[in-house]
């Protein structure tokens, strides 16, 4: 099955990236079709997460499912926005697919792990998952773009901060919209 080989290559590529091996790039399809595949797998995993959570409760409607998938996609949105902003601020046209494709797979695992930690252990331990995500994004930025350590750290920290800010804003908006006037 192709999806299993894609996931196996992505996990092997991430292990190689974290070990500092240059061959990590060969494990990812760093192109538009590779990004489309990564996004499809990400959306499928987000959908499965919504379904698994809904098993214990009432079956959500289509809007609730789409809203939940959007909320689970916020890490991906934050990474894309920070990457675009960083590239625009630096004036570079570096390899975006080198960051986006492996980053999408890392964020997919982050969404799953963070959700499990939040539901099983509680909120404060979720901060550990944010720190791990920041480290993964830092290593990815260093390996994929050749940015120096400060710029790579800034990319990672800004991505996580934007993720937290977007989630907080979404939470505030949803609580305002759901409250009776």
């Amino acid at each position: 099955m192709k999806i299993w080989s894609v996931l196996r290559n992505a996990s092997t590529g991430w292990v190689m990236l974290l070990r500092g091996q240059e061959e990590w790039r060969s494990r990812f399809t760093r192109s538009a079709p590779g990004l489309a595949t990564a996004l499809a797998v990400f959306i499928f995993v987000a959908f499965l997460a919504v379904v698994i959570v809904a098993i214990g409760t009432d079956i959500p409607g289509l809007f609730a499912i789409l809203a939940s998938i959007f909320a689970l996609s916020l890490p991906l949105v934050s990474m894309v926005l920070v990457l675009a902003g960083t590239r625009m601020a630096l004036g570079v046209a570096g390899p975006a697919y080198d960051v986006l494709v492996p980053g999408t797979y890392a964020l997919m695992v982050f969404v799953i792990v963070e959700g499990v930690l939040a539901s099983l252990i509680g909120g404060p331990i979720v901060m550990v998952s944010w720190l791990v995500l920041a480290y993964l994004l830092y290593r990815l930025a260093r390996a994929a773009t050749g940015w120096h350590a400060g710029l790579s750290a800034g990319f990672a920290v800004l991505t996580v901060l934007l993720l937290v800010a977007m989630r907080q804003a979404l939470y505030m908006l949803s609580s305002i919209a759901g409250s009776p006037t």
Side-chain angles (χ1 to χ4, degrees), residues 47-90:
F47 176 75
L48 283 179
V50 171
V51 169
I52 289 170
V53 168
I55 287 174
T57 62
D58 194 18
I59 298 172
L62 180 61
F63 179 75
I65 291 173
L66 293 176
S68 298
I69 290 174
F70 173 75
L72 290 174
S73 299
L74 287 179
L76 189 58
V77 172
S78 66
M79 181 185 69
V80 169
L81 290 175
V82 172
L83 179 63
T86 304
R87 290 176 49 157
M88 186 174 61
L90 293 176

Side-chain angles (χ1 to χ4, degrees), residues 6-135:
V6 166
L7 292 174
R8 188 177 333 106
N9 279 337
S11 60
T12 304
W14 263 103
V15 169
M16 294 170 79
L17 189 144
L18 291 173
R19 288 182 180 166
Q21 299 172 346
E22 288 296 321
E23 304 85 38
W24 69 268
R25 294 177 194 271
S26 66
R27 295 298 181 161
F28 298 99
T29 306
R30 297 166 291 116
S31 63
L35 181 59
T37 302
L39 289 173
V41 172
F42 185 93
I43 291 169
F44 179 71
V45 167
F47 176 75
L48 283 179
V50 171
V51 169
I52 289 170
V53 168
I55 287 174
T57 62
D58 194 18
I59 298 172
L62 180 61
F63 179 75
I65 291 173
L66 293 176
S68 298
I69 290 174
F70 173 75
L72 290 174
S73 299
L74 287 179
L76 189 58
V77 172
S78 66
M79 181 185 69
V80 169
L81 290 175
V82 172
L83 179 63
T86 304
R87 290 176 49 157
M88 186 174 61
L90 293 176
V92 295
Y97 290 125
D98 288 1
V99 176
L100 292 176
V101 174
T104 301
Y105 290 109
L107 291 173
M108 178 181 59
V109 173
F110 166 76
V111 164
I112 295 168
V113 170
E114 183 194 36
V116 168
L117 287 176
S119 65
L120 294 179
I121 300 172
I125 197 73
V126 172
M127 287 187 247
V128 173
S129 67
W130 295 342
L131 293 173
V132 171
L133 175 63
Y135 177 73

